Amino acid sequence: MEILDAPPAELDVEAALDALAGRYSGAGGPGLQLLNLIGGQAENLLDRLPPAIRSQLDTRTEAALHVALRAASRSRRNVPDQPGWLNSAVTTAMGAAGGFGGLPTALAELPVTTTVLLRVIQGIAAEHGFDTEEEGVKFDCIRVLAAAGPLEADDGTDLAFISTRMIVTGQAVQSLIVRVAPRLATVLGQKLAAQTVPVLGAVAGAATNYAYTSYYQEMAHVHFGLRRLAIHADHDHAELLEALRKRVEEPPVKWAG
């Protein structure tokens, strides 16, 4: 994986890691508060889906990822990347429309939202100086999308998706989609279920999409920010990852006065 721009004249690695840790720690905050307001409880949401839909989540998610990867890449050639607030506004409106008609419209909206989320992640990769047409970058974009979503409890393992990579081919990207689909299916299944809440489906759809877009934008900044830092600072990526993990798990004490 190569970076397209030159490193800054002065680079404070410790400050950069502090900033990334702050992004990581705050990734799901506002979205989770919205979800709590509409009464969404992650552990109960999937039970609301019909058994036939639950049994198809893996295959539907895998198909959506294949379509999203192609569509997101094509769209970036014709439509410029948008600022974060606009991405959130667009997906929030899509979620409201998807939830308005209950499960049928939510199912129709799901692959579109998946494509937009992947497109947003690709845009952030480009913002950090990476070529989104490179297979390794496509691979990493899927990995970001496979990070635990905001409806899933943080068990402290999400940083695992920022692990060191090997050389990536197109076949490796396709294989990764197959592997991550079950995990992402659970997360997206919770989103679908939230959109089936009677009367509040549109509100739930808007809130979940806002939460997802905010979360994945921040996680993409963490992921590609760390890779960029490793390249610019000429530091071992694994060492930087461990330093980031320590900051997340043991935030520095701020003394008053």
XYZ file of all heavy atoms in Angstrom, residues 140-247:
815
model
N -8.789 -2.989 2.703
C -8.882 -2.287 3.979
C -10.236 -1.619 4.161
O -10.743 -1.517 5.280
C -7.760 -1.259 4.085
C -6.478 -1.879 4.623
O -6.373 -3.118 4.585
O -5.598 -1.129 5.086
N -10.836 -1.137 3.076
C -12.160 -0.515 3.172
C -13.201 -1.535 3.638
O -14.074 -1.216 4.461
C -12.572 0.079 1.827
S -11.662 1.587 1.380
N -13.104 -2.752 3.131
C -14.016 -3.814 3.579
C -13.761 -4.123 5.049
O -14.690 -4.343 5.832
C -13.843 -5.082 2.726
C -14.287 -4.832 1.275
C -14.636 -6.250 3.321
C -15.766 -4.603 1.117
N -12.514 -4.117 5.457
C -12.179 -4.397 6.856
C -12.782 -3.344 7.788
O -13.255 -3.658 8.880
C -10.666 -4.444 7.036
C -10.016 -5.656 6.403
C -8.510 -5.519 6.441
N -8.015 -5.652 7.799
C -7.385 -6.734 8.260
N -7.197 -7.767 7.472
N -6.948 -6.779 9.495
N -12.753 -2.086 7.357
C -13.365 -1.034 8.168
C -14.865 -1.293 8.309
O -15.438 -1.176 9.390
C -13.115 0.354 7.555
C -13.903 1.426 8.295
C -11.632 0.692 7.591
N -15.503 -1.662 7.196
C -16.938 -1.933 7.226
C -17.258 -3.151 8.085
O -18.375 -3.297 8.566
C -17.458 -2.141 5.802
C -18.971 -2.044 5.585
C -19.495 -0.687 6.051
C -19.315 -2.271 4.131
N -16.290 -4.019 8.295
C -16.495 -5.209 9.120
C -16.260 -4.944 10.595
O -16.469 -5.831 11.420
C -15.565 -6.333 8.659
N -15.821 -3.726 10.942
C -15.654 -3.395 12.357
C -17.015 -3.399 13.031
O -18.040 -3.169 12.397
C -15.007 -2.011 12.494
N -17.048 -3.679 14.327
C -18.313 -3.751 15.061
C -19.089 -2.454 14.884
O -18.553 -1.370 15.047
C -18.040 -4.003 16.533
N -20.347 -2.570 14.547
C -21.186 -1.397 14.356
C -21.636 -0.787 15.672
O -21.434 -1.355 16.735
N -22.280 0.375 15.622
C -22.649 1.087 16.844
C -23.741 0.404 17.657
O -23.948 0.748 18.813
C -23.134 2.445 16.324
C -23.520 2.189 14.912
C -22.599 1.125 14.413
N -24.443 -0.570 17.082
C -25.445 -1.306 17.851
C -24.827 -2.470 18.599
O -25.498 -3.152 19.354
C -26.545 -1.833 16.924
C -27.545 -0.798 16.421
C -28.493 -1.442 15.414
C -28.336 -0.195 17.560
N -23.544 -2.728 18.373
C -22.877 -3.868 18.982
C -22.018 -3.404 20.149
O -21.306 -2.418 20.047
C -22.002 -4.569 17.940
C -21.443 -5.907 18.395
C -20.844 -6.656 17.218
O -21.264 -6.403 16.082
O -19.946 -7.472 17.440
N -22.112 -4.110 21.267
C -21.344 -3.718 22.450
C -19.854 -3.770 22.149
O -19.376 -4.663 21.459
C -21.674 -4.650 23.617
N -19.119 -2.799 22.660
C -17.672 -2.749 22.454
C -17.000 -3.706 23.426
O -16.999 -3.480 24.631
C -17.164 -1.320 22.674
C -15.675 -1.192 22.422
O -15.074 -2.174 21.949
O -15.126 -0.121 22.698
N -16.450 -4.797 22.893
C -15.790 -5.771 23.768
C -14.283 -5.581 23.789
O -13.538 -6.415 24.279
C -16.116 -7.204 23.320
C -15.702 -7.472 21.877
O -15.104 -6.572 21.258
O -15.971 -8.571 21.381
N -13.826 -4.464 23.239
C -12.401 -4.172 23.275
C -11.601 -4.831 22.170
O -10.389 -4.736 22.140
N -12.283 -5.493 21.221
C -11.563 -6.211 20.177
C -11.594 -5.504 18.827
O -11.008 -5.980 17.869
C -12.160 -7.621 19.988
O -13.531 -7.499 19.573
C -12.097 -8.411 21.287
N -12.297 -4.373 18.728
C -12.451 -3.728 17.431
C -11.130 -3.311 16.807
O -11.004 -3.236 15.590
C -13.347 -2.489 17.546
C -14.798 -2.854 17.810
O -15.084 -4.060 17.812
O -15.607 -1.950 18.008
N -10.121 -3.025 17.635
C -8.832 -2.605 17.094
C -8.175 -3.721 16.285
O -7.236 -3.463 15.540
C -7.902 -2.165 18.217
C -8.160 -0.759 18.781
C -7.271 -0.507 19.975
C -7.926 0.305 17.728
N -8.685 -4.949 16.410
C -8.082 -6.060 15.671
C -8.184 -5.869 14.164
O -7.367 -6.380 13.407
C -8.747 -7.383 16.066
N -9.174 -5.106 13.709
C -9.331 -4.947 12.265
C -8.263 -4.047 11.663
O -8.137 -3.943 10.447
C -10.726 -4.407 11.925
C -10.860 -2.919 12.056
C -10.596 -2.082 10.975
C -11.262 -2.344 13.243
C -10.737 -0.713 11.101
C -11.398 -0.978 13.369
C -11.133 -0.164 12.300
N -7.450 -3.385 12.503
C -6.372 -2.532 11.990
C -5.054 -3.293 12.027
O -4.006 -2.713 12.222
C -6.259 -1.236 12.806
C -7.630 -0.711 13.220
C -5.564 -0.157 11.993
C -7.554 0.548 14.066
N -5.097 -4.589 11.869
C -3.877 -5.394 11.973
C -3.010 -5.265 10.726
O -3.437 -4.762 9.702
C -4.234 -6.862 12.193
O -4.979 -7.337 11.098
N -1.784 -5.745 10.826
C -0.850 -5.689 9.706
C -1.315 -6.597 8.577
O -1.806 -7.689 8.812
C 0.549 -6.129 10.163
O 0.907 -5.349 11.300
C 1.576 -5.944 9.073
N -1.177 -6.131 7.354
C -1.656 -6.887 6.206
C -0.509 -7.510 5.414
O 0.614 -7.066 5.478
C -2.390 -5.976 5.226
C -3.756 -5.543 5.604
C -4.360 -4.790 4.442
N -3.437 -3.764 3.956
C -2.637 -3.892 2.916
N -2.593 -5.006 2.229
N -1.857 -2.907 2.554
N -0.887 -8.520 4.627
C 0.026 -9.074 3.642
C -0.291 -8.450 2.285
O -1.216 -7.652 2.167
C -0.141 -10.594 3.573
C -1.516 -11.033 3.118
S -1.763 -12.807 3.250
C -2.081 -12.941 5.006
N 0.437 -8.816 1.240
C 0.141 -8.331 -0.106
C -1.243 -8.842 -0.511
O -1.567 -10.006 -0.325
C 1.201 -8.811 -1.112
C 2.559 -8.193 -0.761
C 0.812 -8.448 -2.524
C 3.692 -8.672 -1.631
N -2.076 -7.950 -1.060
C -3.474 -8.279 -1.322
C -3.735 -8.348 -2.823
O -3.277 -7.494 -3.580
C -4.392 -7.217 -0.680
C -5.846 -7.487 -1.026
C -4.207 -7.225 0.827
N -4.490 -9.355 -3.238
C -4.924 -9.493 -4.627
C -6.439 -9.346 -4.693
O -7.128 -9.310 -3.670
C -4.540 -10.874 -5.166
O -5.263 -11.878 -4.423
C -3.044 -11.119 -5.031
N -6.955 -9.268 -5.928
C -8.396 -9.183 -6.098
C -9.120 -10.371 -5.489
O -10.195 -10.233 -4.896
N -8.532 -11.554 -5.610
C -9.144 -12.745 -5.025
C -9.183 -12.649 -3.503
O -10.142 -13.095 -2.858
C -8.377 -13.995 -5.442
C -8.981 -15.306 -4.932
C -10.406 -15.492 -5.404
O -10.712 -15.282 -6.572
N -11.291 -15.854 -4.487
N -8.170 -12.053 -2.912
C -8.145 -11.887 -1.457
C -9.281 -10.976 -1.000
O -9.880 -11.200 0.057
C -6.807 -11.329 -1.004
N -9.582 -9.952 -1.784
C -10.686 -9.051 -1.447
C -12.004 -9.815 -1.460
O -12.831 -9.678 -0.556
C -10.735 -7.861 -2.425
C -11.968 -6.995 -2.149
C -9.470 -7.013 -2.310
N -12.204 -10.642 -2.496
C -13.439 -11.429 -2.584
C -13.535 -12.421 -1.427
O -14.615 -12.631 -0.856
C -13.500 -12.165 -3.926
C -13.407 -11.269 -5.153
C -14.455 -10.163 -5.150
O -15.623 -10.409 -4.882
N -14.029 -8.935 -5.438
N -12.423 -13.035 -1.068
C -12.418 -13.986 0.045
C -12.733 -13.280 1.358
O -13.416 -13.830 2.223
C -11.054 -14.687 0.139
O -10.792 -15.431 -1.029
N -12.230 -12.049 1.512
C -12.509 -11.294 2.727
C -14.002 -11.008 2.849
O -14.570 -11.099 3.943
C -11.729 -9.981 2.722
C -11.975 -9.069 3.931
C -11.436 -9.713 5.210
C -11.349 -7.704 3.718
N -14.648 -10.682 1.746
C -16.086 -10.421 1.769
C -16.835 -11.635 2.305
O -17.744 -11.510 3.133
C -16.587 -10.045 0.362
C -16.102 -8.637 -0.007
C -18.116 -10.113 0.282
C -16.460 -8.210 -1.407
N -16.444 -12.821 1.848
C -17.090 -14.049 2.310
C -16.897 -14.217 3.815
O -17.821 -14.619 4.538
C -16.539 -15.275 1.555
C -17.107 -16.570 2.135
C -16.877 -15.170 0.069
N -15.710 -13.888 4.310
C -15.412 -14.086 5.725
C -16.116 -13.079 6.623
O -16.541 -13.413 7.725
C -13.893 -14.017 5.972
C -13.108 -15.130 5.333
C -11.806 -15.388 6.089
N -11.050 -14.185 6.359
C -10.156 -13.646 5.528
N -9.942 -14.219 4.342
N -9.480 -12.567 5.867
N -16.216 -11.821 6.161
C -16.779 -10.799 7.047
C -18.299 -10.711 6.953
O -18.932 -10.101 7.825
C -16.169 -9.406 6.754
C -14.665 -9.447 6.839
C -16.633 -8.852 5.413
N -18.901 -11.305 5.929
C -20.344 -11.188 5.742
C -21.143 -11.621 6.970
O -22.090 -10.929 7.360
C -20.780 -11.963 4.496
N -20.822 -12.765 7.619
C -21.627 -13.151 8.789
C -21.583 -12.122 9.916
O -22.603 -11.850 10.553
C -20.987 -14.484 9.219
C -20.378 -15.028 7.973
C -19.856 -13.816 7.252
N -20.406 -11.559 10.173
C -20.301 -10.543 11.236
C -21.098 -9.302 10.877
O -21.861 -8.775 11.694
C -18.828 -10.187 11.453
C -18.600 -9.042 12.457
C -17.113 -8.738 12.556
N -16.848 -7.561 13.359
C -16.618 -7.574 14.660
N -16.646 -8.720 15.315
N -16.364 -6.461 15.327
N -20.931 -8.832 9.639
C -21.649 -7.644 9.222
C -23.148 -7.914 9.127
O -23.964 -7.017 9.355
C -21.107 -7.161 7.871
C -21.634 -5.811 7.371
C -21.317 -4.704 8.377
C -21.038 -5.474 6.009
N -23.538 -9.151 8.803
C -24.954 -9.505 8.715
C -25.652 -9.289 10.049
O -26.805 -8.832 10.097
C -25.105 -10.951 8.262
N -24.972 -9.619 11.137
C -25.559 -9.414 12.467
C -25.792 -7.930 12.724
O -26.853 -7.512 13.207
C -24.634 -9.990 13.552
O -24.474 -11.389 13.329
C -25.209 -9.756 14.941
N -24.804 -7.112 12.369
C -24.909 -5.673 12.580
C -26.023 -5.083 11.719
O -26.865 -4.314 12.201
C -23.565 -4.993 12.264
C -23.679 -3.481 12.399
C -22.481 -5.519 13.192
N -26.056 -5.446 10.427
C -27.074 -4.912 9.528
C -28.445 -5.488 9.855
O -29.469 -4.836 9.630
C -26.696 -5.214 8.076
C -25.430 -4.514 7.575
C -25.155 -4.865 6.119
C -25.543 -3.001 7.739
N -28.479 -6.715 10.378
C -29.750 -7.293 10.796
C -30.370 -6.495 11.929
O -31.592 -6.298 11.980
N -29.542 -6.004 12.834
C -30.038 -5.152 13.912
C -30.621 -3.857 13.353
O -31.638 -3.353 13.839
C -28.911 -4.861 14.895
C -28.453 -6.094 15.665
C -27.125 -5.886 16.372
O -26.536 -4.816 16.288
N -26.642 -6.911 17.052
N -29.970 -3.331 12.338
C -30.484 -2.124 11.679
C -31.842 -2.394 11.046
O -32.787 -1.614 11.206
C -29.489 -1.654 10.621
C -30.033 -0.617 9.646
C -29.002 -0.277 8.593
C -29.641 0.101 7.270
N -30.628 1.178 7.379
N -31.973 -3.505 10.327
C -33.248 -3.864 9.713
C -34.350 -3.986 10.755
O -35.462 -3.487 10.582
C -33.127 -5.198 8.961
C -32.506 -5.198 7.569
C -32.425 -6.623 7.050
C -33.335 -4.337 6.617
N -34.028 -4.674 11.848
C -35.024 -4.898 12.884
C -35.472 -3.582 13.510
O -36.656 -3.399 13.815
C -34.460 -5.835 13.949
N -34.526 -2.659 13.694
C -34.892 -1.360 14.264
C -35.865 -0.625 13.362
O -36.730 0.124 13.835
C -33.635 -0.519 14.491
N -35.770 -0.848 12.058
C -36.647 -0.166 11.109
C -38.040 -0.794 11.027
O -38.909 -0.269 10.343
C -36.001 -0.150 9.724
C -34.800 0.776 9.651
C -34.079 0.689 8.305
O -33.353 -0.260 8.037
N -34.275 1.687 7.469
N -38.251 -1.923 11.688
C -39.570 -2.561 11.657
C -40.430 -2.159 12.846
O -41.565 -2.614 12.953
C -39.432 -4.104 11.665
O -38.876 -4.526 12.923
C -38.538 -4.586 10.533
N -39.897 -1.313 13.737
C -40.670 -0.882 14.900
C -41.920 -0.145 14.428
O -41.811 0.805 13.647
C -39.823 0.057 15.800
C -40.649 0.553 16.986
C -38.569 -0.659 16.268
N -43.109 -0.571 14.865
C -44.336 0.096 14.426
C -44.312 1.595 14.709
O -43.857 2.041 15.769
C -45.429 -0.597 15.262
C -44.853 -1.921 15.609
C -43.372 -1.688 15.777
N -44.792 2.363 13.766
C -44.904 3.819 13.835
C -43.540 4.504 13.810
O -43.326 5.461 13.083
C -45.685 4.282 15.101
C -45.810 5.802 15.126
C -47.062 3.629 15.147
N -42.596 3.995 14.605
C -41.297 4.641 14.730
C -40.273 4.136 13.717
O -39.097 4.463 13.825
C -40.741 4.432 16.144
C -41.448 5.179 17.272
C -40.825 4.834 18.611
C -41.421 6.679 17.040
N -40.698 3.334 12.732
C -39.754 2.758 11.777
C -38.921 3.792 11.059
O -37.706 3.625 10.901
N -39.540 4.885 10.615
C -38.798 5.919 9.893
C -37.803 6.616 10.821
O -36.665 6.899 10.434
C -39.760 6.939 9.284
N -38.225 6.885 12.066
C -37.327 7.509 13.033
C -36.162 6.578 13.348
O -35.004 7.002 13.408
C -38.091 7.858 14.328
C -37.135 8.423 15.378
C -39.208 8.847 14.035
N -36.489 5.288 13.536
C -35.442 4.311 13.826
C -34.480 4.181 12.655
O -33.259 4.082 12.844
C -36.066 2.953 14.145
N -35.004 4.180 11.431
C -34.153 4.080 10.254
C -33.215 5.263 10.125
O -32.029 5.114 9.819
N -33.764 6.471 10.377
C -32.928 7.667 10.314
C -31.844 7.630 11.392
O -30.678 7.937 11.134
C -33.801 8.915 10.468
N -32.233 7.232 12.620
C -31.287 7.223 13.731
C -30.189 6.192 13.518
O -29.008 6.474 13.762
C -32.027 6.945 15.042
N -30.557 4.981 13.063
C -29.538 3.951 12.866
C -28.586 4.339 11.744
O -27.371 4.137 11.858
C -30.175 2.584 12.563
O -31.111 2.717 11.492
C -30.884 2.030 13.784
N -29.103 4.894 10.663
C -28.219 5.288 9.572
C -27.290 6.423 9.992
O -26.117 6.462 9.603
C -29.029 5.694 8.340
C -29.337 4.505 7.456
O -29.357 3.373 7.917
N -29.589 4.750 6.185
N -27.804 7.359 10.785
C -26.942 8.416 11.301
C -25.836 7.809 12.160
O -24.658 8.178 12.042
C -27.753 9.418 12.111
C -26.899 10.463 12.793
C -26.483 11.598 12.104
C -26.492 10.303 14.125
C -25.677 12.547 12.720
C -25.685 11.246 14.737
C -25.284 12.363 14.035
O -24.477 13.294 14.648
N -26.227 6.873 13.031
C -25.252 6.239 13.915
C -24.198 5.491 13.114
O -22.997 5.587 13.400
C -25.959 5.285 14.878
N -24.637 4.736 12.106
C -23.698 3.950 11.316
C -22.741 4.845 10.540
O -21.537 4.582 10.490
C -24.457 3.028 10.355
C -24.835 1.729 11.005
C -25.828 1.694 11.974
C -24.196 0.549 10.674
C -26.169 0.510 12.590
C -24.530 -0.643 11.295
C -25.522 -0.656 12.248
O -25.844 -1.823 12.877
N -23.279 5.887 9.916
C -22.419 6.760 9.115
C -21.394 7.456 9.992
O -20.204 7.518 9.657
C -23.257 7.799 8.360
O -24.282 7.139 7.614
C -22.393 8.598 7.392
N -21.817 7.975 11.135
C -20.891 8.630 12.052
C -19.816 7.663 12.517
O -18.621 7.990 12.546
C -21.656 9.189 13.265
O -22.627 10.128 12.868
N -20.250 6.461 12.880
C -19.319 5.459 13.401
C -18.277 5.067 12.360
O -17.071 5.092 12.631
C -20.099 4.231 13.853
C -19.229 3.093 14.331
C -18.772 3.053 15.645
C -18.860 2.063 13.475
C -17.965 2.012 16.093
C -18.061 1.024 13.922
C -17.622 1.000 15.221
O -16.823 -0.023 15.656
N -18.729 4.696 11.162
C -17.785 4.208 10.158
C -16.878 5.308 9.628
O -15.743 5.040 9.227
C -18.539 3.515 9.019
C -19.074 2.172 9.427
C -20.434 1.897 9.424
C -18.212 1.152 9.849
C -20.929 0.659 9.806
C -18.694 -0.081 10.239
C -20.053 -0.322 10.222
O -20.530 -1.549 10.615
N -17.358 6.540 9.602
C -16.468 7.634 9.215
C -15.314 7.762 10.202
O -14.156 7.919 9.807
C -17.256 8.950 9.144
C -18.115 9.076 7.896
C -18.833 10.407 7.790
O -18.919 10.989 6.728
N -19.361 10.890 8.890
N -15.629 7.701 11.493
C -14.579 7.822 12.504
C -13.622 6.629 12.458
O -12.404 6.791 12.544
C -15.205 7.944 13.900
C -15.943 9.252 14.130
C -15.039 10.450 13.891
O -14.023 10.585 14.593
O -15.338 11.240 12.977
N -14.181 5.410 12.305
C -13.330 4.229 12.253
C -12.438 4.239 11.021
O -11.293 3.783 11.062
C -14.190 2.964 12.290
C -14.944 2.782 13.600
S -13.872 2.732 15.065
C -13.462 1.002 15.123
N -12.940 4.776 9.921
C -12.114 4.891 8.712
C -10.967 5.871 8.936
O -9.837 5.635 8.495
C -12.974 5.328 7.524
N -11.256 6.975 9.620
C -10.190 7.936 9.930
C -9.124 7.286 10.819
O -7.924 7.519 10.640
C -10.770 9.166 10.616
C -11.326 10.180 9.680
N -10.541 10.880 8.779
C -12.602 10.615 9.482
C -11.292 11.706 8.081
N -12.541 11.566 8.482
N -9.561 6.463 11.786
C -8.604 5.774 12.654
C -7.766 4.800 11.846
O -6.535 4.765 11.946
C -9.336 5.037 13.800
C -8.349 4.176 14.599
C -10.017 6.036 14.728
N -8.438 4.006 11.029
C -7.754 2.965 10.266
C -6.718 3.548 9.307
O -5.535 3.185 9.354
C -8.788 2.157 9.485
C -8.206 1.009 8.733
N -8.140 -0.269 9.245
C -7.648 0.927 7.500
C -7.574 -1.073 8.372
N -7.273 -0.366 7.304
N -7.170 4.454 8.450
C -6.251 4.993 7.446
C -5.325 6.050 8.025
O -4.222 6.259 7.507
C -7.043 5.530 6.251
C -7.694 4.440 5.447
C -9.060 4.209 5.545
C -6.943 3.618 4.629
C -9.660 3.189 4.831
C -7.524 2.588 3.910
C -8.890 2.370 4.010
N -5.755 6.699 9.104
C -4.859 7.621 9.783
C -3.661 6.900 10.377
O -2.532 7.393 10.328
N -3.909 5.709 10.943
C -2.812 4.934 11.513
C -1.882 4.427 10.422
O -0.653 4.437 10.577
C -3.362 3.769 12.326
C -2.350 3.065 13.239
C -1.936 3.984 14.377
C -2.926 1.767 13.794
N -2.431 3.980 9.314
C -1.583 3.516 8.206
C -0.753 4.674 7.643
O 0.421 4.507 7.320
C -2.442 2.895 7.110
C -3.108 1.590 7.531
C -3.164 0.617 6.382
N -3.775 -0.636 6.773
C -3.160 -1.624 7.390
N -1.884 -1.485 7.733
N -3.797 -2.741 7.688
N -1.378 5.819 7.515
C -0.653 6.996 7.019
C 0.474 7.378 7.979
O 1.583 7.697 7.551
C -1.648 8.152 6.869
C -1.032 9.480 6.439
C -2.069 10.578 6.586
N -1.530 11.873 6.205
C -1.766 12.462 5.041
N -2.515 11.868 4.145
N -1.251 13.645 4.768
N 0.173 7.341 9.284
C 1.177 7.689 10.282
C 2.364 6.735 10.217
O 3.522 7.164 10.314
C 0.546 7.653 11.678
C 1.457 8.036 12.848
C 1.950 9.472 12.708
C 0.713 7.852 14.174
N 2.100 5.449 10.048
C 3.180 4.465 9.968
C 4.090 4.748 8.781
O 5.318 4.630 8.873
C 2.594 3.058 9.869
N 3.495 5.156 7.663
C 4.274 5.433 6.459
C 5.052 6.735 6.599
O 6.264 6.801 6.354
C 3.358 5.481 5.218
C 2.752 4.087 4.951
C 4.115 5.973 3.990
C 1.668 4.079 3.912
N 4.378 7.789 7.031
C 5.027 9.097 7.139
C 6.113 9.116 8.213
O 7.155 9.742 8.043
C 3.985 10.168 7.446
C 3.279 10.661 6.219
N 2.216 11.528 6.276
C 3.505 10.430 4.897
C 1.805 11.804 5.042
N 2.567 11.147 4.197
N 5.838 8.446 9.341
C 6.804 8.461 10.445
C 7.846 7.359 10.310
O 8.774 7.295 11.111
C 6.068 8.315 11.779
N 7.663 6.486 9.308
C 8.556 5.347 9.105
C 8.652 4.515 10.385
O 9.729 4.126 10.819
C 9.948 5.821 8.672
C 10.796 4.679 8.118
O 10.202 3.672 7.668
O 12.040 4.790 8.133
N 7.475 4.252 10.975
C 7.377 3.438 12.186
C 6.720 2.101 11.842
O 5.933 2.001 10.891
C 6.538 4.146 13.254
C 7.306 5.158 14.056
N 8.216 6.019 13.506
C 7.284 5.429 15.393
C 8.721 6.802 14.447
N 8.168 6.460 15.607
N 7.024 1.098 12.637
C 6.382 -0.197 12.466
C 4.886 -0.070 12.793
O 4.519 0.437 13.853
C 7.029 -1.234 13.387
C 6.408 -2.601 13.219
O 6.674 -3.255 12.204
O 5.643 -3.011 14.125
N 4.050 -0.542 11.879
C 2.605 -0.408 12.057
C 2.124 -1.129 13.312
O 1.265 -0.627 14.050
C 1.885 -0.942 10.818
C 0.397 -0.812 10.880
N -0.415 -1.777 11.422
C -0.430 0.185 10.474
C -1.678 -1.386 11.346
N -1.708 -0.194 10.786
N 2.665 -2.318 13.575
C 2.239 -3.095 14.741
C 2.552 -2.352 16.038
O 1.760 -2.382 16.990
C 2.910 -4.467 14.739
N 3.686 -1.669 16.094
C 4.041 -0.916 17.290
C 3.100 0.265 17.492
O 2.678 0.564 18.620
C 5.483 -0.434 17.193
C 6.526 -1.556 17.259
C 7.941 -1.030 17.166
O 8.105 0.211 17.064
O 8.884 -1.849 17.196
N 2.754 0.951 16.413
C 1.812 2.056 16.509
C 0.436 1.562 16.936
O -0.264 2.220 17.711
C 1.722 2.792 15.171
C 2.952 3.600 14.745
C 2.715 4.236 13.386
C 3.284 4.672 15.780
N 0.041 0.409 16.412
C -1.250 -0.168 16.793
C -1.291 -0.459 18.284
O -2.285 -0.169 18.968
C -1.494 -1.449 15.997
C -2.749 -2.251 16.379
C -4.004 -1.414 16.192
C -2.834 -3.525 15.561
N -0.202 -1.013 18.813
C -0.158 -1.312 20.240
C -0.200 -0.031 21.073
O -0.857 0.025 22.122
C 1.110 -2.111 20.555
C 1.205 -2.573 22.009
C 0.036 -3.424 22.441
O -0.560 -4.119 21.576
O -0.295 -3.398 23.646
N 0.478 1.006 20.608
C 0.444 2.289 21.311
C -0.966 2.877 21.291
O -1.428 3.451 22.288
C 1.430 3.261 20.663
N -1.655 2.714 20.176
C -3.038 3.182 20.085
C -3.938 2.384 21.019
O -4.795 2.944 21.713
C -3.535 3.067 18.642
C -4.989 3.452 18.405
C -5.231 4.911 18.768
C -5.384 3.193 16.949
N -3.740 1.079 21.064
C -4.547 0.232 21.932
C -4.405 0.652 23.401
O -5.379 0.721 24.141
C -4.128 -1.236 21.763
C -5.048 -2.225 22.473
C -4.455 -3.627 22.440
N -4.143 -4.055 21.084
C -5.048 -4.553 20.243
N -6.295 -4.676 20.612
N -4.672 -4.938 19.040
N -3.183 0.932 23.817
C -2.955 1.346 25.200
C -3.663 2.656 25.503
O -4.212 2.851 26.596
C -1.455 1.472 25.470
C -0.724 0.130 25.516
C 0.756 0.330 25.788
C 1.483 -1.017 25.866
N 2.935 -0.848 26.087
N -3.647 3.569 24.550
C -4.324 4.847 24.761
C -5.832 4.659 24.887
O -6.484 5.351 25.675
C -4.017 5.794 23.598
C -2.663 6.467 23.698
C -2.312 7.160 22.395
N -1.170 8.059 22.543
C 0.088 7.671 22.620
N 0.381 6.374 22.547
N 1.064 8.559 22.753
